[in-house]
Amino acid sequence: MEKIKILLVDDEKEFVETLSERIKMREHDSVVALDGEQALKKLEDEIPDVVVLDLKMPGIDGMEVLKRIRKAYPKVQVIMLTGHGSEKDEEEARKLGAFEYLEKPVEIDKLMMKIKKAYKNKFESSMMAATFAEAGEFDTAKEIRDKEEENENLNKVKKKSK
Amino acid sequence: MKDKEIQFIGKITAGITHEVNNVFASVREISGLLTDILSLTSDESFKHKEKFNTSLEKILNQENRGVKLISQLNKFAHLPDSQSSEIDINENIQHLIFLTERFGRVKSIQLQMQPAEQEKKVVSNPFYLQMALFYCVEYFLNNLKAGGKIFFNHYNNQNNYSINISAEGEVFNLQKLFNDPSSMELSNLSKTLEVLDAAHEFDKTNKSVKIKLSIEK
C-alpha cells in the first residue's frame, strides 16, 4: 500500500488533530493546518497528494483556499469536508475543481476510501496530461504540467534558502 | 412575527447548529480513535475491552442520533432564508414528520406519509408552508386520542398542487371536530395560508377528517 500524503485543514483543533492521528494509524502521512493561511504555507513546504479542506474557517475561507490550490497546484486533489454545506456550496466547490464534497461528521472508512480515490485520480489525470502532451495537445494539459513543475522548482529553491 | 425577526432567529439557530455539529464531529473522531486503539489491543492485555467497545458503540449511536437531529434543525433554521423557492414536497413532508414526531410520540399518535412516486416540486414560501402543515398536524394531535394516525399524501392538479393531511382513529369530541373547525390551530392555519396565497378545505366524509391544502403552481 502506498503512503498518501494528506493535508488536513480545519479550525476545529481537537477534531482535526484526532482525525490526523487516526489517519496516521492507517499508515498514511498526515499534516494539520488550522486555517487557510497555514494551509497555503504548508503547501509551500511540502506538496501533499490530497487536501481535506473545511469550508468555513476564519481568515481565508475554504472556497478561496480551494481556488488557490487548484491554480498553483493543479495535481493536488481536494476533498471538501464541511458541516452543513448547501447545494450551492457543493456546486461551487465542484466547479472550482474539488474532487469530492463530504459532510461532517464522516465515517473514517468512507473518508479513507475517498482519499484513496482522489490519490488514484491524481495519477490518472497526470497520465492523461502526459498522453495529451504526447499527442500534441499542448493546451490545458501542458499548462497544468508546466505550472506544477514551476511550483515544485520554486518550493525546492525556497527550501534550500531556508 | 415579522420576516426580519424570523430570519434573525433562523440565522442564530443555524449558526449554533454548525457549532454543535462540530462538537459531534469531534466526539466521533475521539471515540473513533479509542475504538482504533482498542482494536490493536489484545483481549488478554485488557480485560474490560468488551465493555469499552460496547460503551463506545453506544456513544457512536448517540452521536449519530445527535447529528441527525442537528442536521434537521439546521435545515429548519434555513427555512426563512428565502421567501420563495422551489420546494420538494416529499422532502418537505418528511422533514415536518421528523420535526413533529416527538409531539406525536408523547401522545402515541403516528405520523405517516405516502410519498409521491415522482419528485414533486412547487414554488412557495418554505417557512410558511412548513408552518401551515404544522398547524394541520397540531389540530389533529390536539383532537385525536392515543393510537391515532395522521397521514400525508400529495398530488398534482391541473392548476394547483394538493397536500392532504388526514386523521384516522378516535377523536376526543367528534361533534366538535366536525362542526366547529374554528379552533386556534385552524385560525393560525388560515392566517398562514393567506401569506402563501393558498387555500384549505375540510373533507368530513367516511367519519374521518381531511384537510386539503391547495397551493398554486
Side-chain angles (χ1 to χ4, degrees):
Chain A
M1 187 181 68
E2 278 185 80
K3 227 178 201 188
I4 308 173
K5 280 190 261 174
I6 305 153
L7 171 62
L8 301 172
V9 192
D10 200 301
D11 61 321
E12 283 289 322
K13 198 168 182 277
E14 278 195 7
F15 165 76
V16 76
E17 284 179 353
T18 316
L19 179 60
S20 172
E21 213 169 316
R22 297 186 77 192
I23 288 174
K24 282 177 188 160
M25 284 179 85
R26 283 158 179 80
E27 292 178 0
H28 295 287
D29 280 339
S30 164
V31 178
V32 164
L34 295 175
D35 57 44
E37 261 176 44
Q38 250 187 50
L40 295 169
K41 270 185 197 152
K42 299 232 173 196
L43 271 151
E44 282 177 17
D45 294 339
E46 192 174 9
I47 303 175
D49 299 306
V50 180
V51 176
V52 178
L53 180 63
D54 186 19
L55 191 60
K56 293 195 171 83
M57 291 180 292
I60 316 169
D61 76 351
M63 218 55 100
E64 182 57 32
V65 177
L66 168 66
K67 235 186 259 177
R68 294 194 199 177
I69 294 176
R70 294 303 294 163
K71 197 175 171 196
Y73 312 93
K75 251 202 267 180
V76 173
Q77 304 295 302
V78 181
I79 294 173
M80 303 302 289
L81 182 60
T82 182
H84 301 117
S86 65
E87 277 177 27
K88 206 176 136 198
D89 288 336
E90 179 169 359
E91 202 182 314
E92 194 187 341
R94 288 193 190 273
K95 255 188 208 165
L96 289 172
F99 175 76
E100 192 55 83
Y101 188 93
L102 301 172
E103 283 211 354
K104 257 199 265 179
V106 65
E107 286 290 331
I108 188 87
D109 292 341
K110 186 180 175 185
L111 179 64
M112 287 316 301
M113 193 184 80
K114 298 288 181 189
I115 288 174
K116 282 174 193 165
K117 269 193 182 172
Y119 180 68
K120 202 176 153 201
N121 189 57
K122 179 189 165 182
F123 288 101
E124 280 172 0
S125 19
S126 295
M127 274 165 65
M128 235 154 71
T131 314
F132 283 137
E134 276 164 25
E137 292 172 34
F138 281 105
D139 354 59
T140 327
K142 189 170 185 306
E143 273 171 29
I144 289 174
R145 293 194 330 155
D146 286 350
K147 187 75 196 165
E148 276 165 355
E149 271 172 32
E150 190 187 308
N151 280 323
E152 271 166 31
N153 290 335
L154 195 71
N155 287 339
K156 276 178 198 163
V157 173
K158 274 185 187 168
K159 267 188 187 174
K160 274 183 192 169
S161 63
K162 273 182 187 172
Chain B
M1 240 194 307
K2 288 178 184 151
D3 287 342
K4 265 190 182 170
E5 288 153 340
I6 295 166
Q7 278 170 355
F8 163 68
I9 292 175
K11 210 169 189 175
I12 296 293
T13 311
I16 297 293
T17 60
H18 280 287
E19 290 301 303
V20 178
N21 195 56
N22 279 331
V23 172
F24 285 127
S26 295
V27 171
R28 177 172 294 192
E29 289 316 319
I30 296 161
S31 59
L33 178 63
L34 291 174
T35 310
D36 289 351
I37 294 167
L38 274 180
S39 71
L40 299 173
T41 315
S42 70
D43 295 352
E44 295 79 39
S45 66
F46 185 40
K47 64 173 183 171
H48 299 300
K49 188 177 168 182
E50 208 186 308
K51 277 186 186 168
F52 262 76
N53 270 327
T54 314
S55 300
L56 283 168
E57 214 170 288
K58 284 179 187 168
I59 292 174
L60 187 66
N61 287 340
Q62 288 302 321
E63 185 262 338
N64 281 334
R65 186 177 165 216
V67 168
K68 204 173 169 194
L69 285 164
I70 212 69
S71 133
Q72 296 292 324
L73 181 61
N74 175 269
K75 207 170 155 187
F76 179 71
H78 280 294
L79 286 179
D81 286 358
S82 159
Q83 295 201 344
S84 173
S85 64
E86 204 175 47
I87 301 165
D88 180 329
I89 297 290
N90 270 337
E91 212 184 290
N92 198 59
I93 296 174
Q94 267 162 1
H95 186 210
L96 181 88
I97 289 177
F98 187 91
L99 294 170
T100 52
E101 216 169 26
R102 184 184 160 75
F103 300 117
R105 204 172 53 238
V106 293
K107 293 195 167 187
S108 301
I109 293 169
Q110 272 183 42
L111 285 96
Q112 286 176 357
M113 179 183 78
Q114 193 183 346
E117 280 173 15
Q118 285 169 338
E119 198 180 57
K120 302 284 180 196
K121 289 184 172 174
V122 291
V123 174
S124 187
N125 183 314
F127 180 82
Y128 284 103
L129 180 60
Q130 207 63 308
M131 204 155 111
L133 291 173
F134 173 75
Y135 286 133
C136 296
V137 170
E138 197 182 32
Y139 173 70
F140 287 131
L141 285 177
N142 289 342
N143 286 295
L144 278 176
K145 283 187 182 174
K149 281 180 184 169
I150 300 169
F151 295 102
F152 292 87
N153 68 49
H154 54 102
Y155 52 89
N156 240 330
N157 296 316
Q158 215 168 13
N159 301 318
N160 58 24
Y161 199 85
S162 292
I163 304 174
N164 288 335
I165 305 103
S166 51
E168 196 184 278
E170 272 186 83
V171 294
F172 284 113
N173 187 339
L174 199 65
Q175 208 56 28
K176 182 179 170 256
L177 191 71
F178 281 166
N179 301 321
D180 178 27
S182 58
S183 64
M184 181 64 96
E185 304 94 330
L186 294 175
S187 137
N188 285 338
L189 174 64
S190 301
K191 281 179 200 159
T192 311
L193 290 176
E194 266 175 41
V195 182
L196 289 171
D197 206 10
H200 80 286
E201 58 185 86
F202 266 93
D203 183 356
K204 301 166 197 165
T205 53
N206 302 329
K207 289 189 178 178
S208 74
V209 181
K210 183 163 81 184
I211 306 174
K212 181 177 165 188
L213 300 185
S214 301
I215 305 149
E216 263 186 55
K217 280 203 271 192

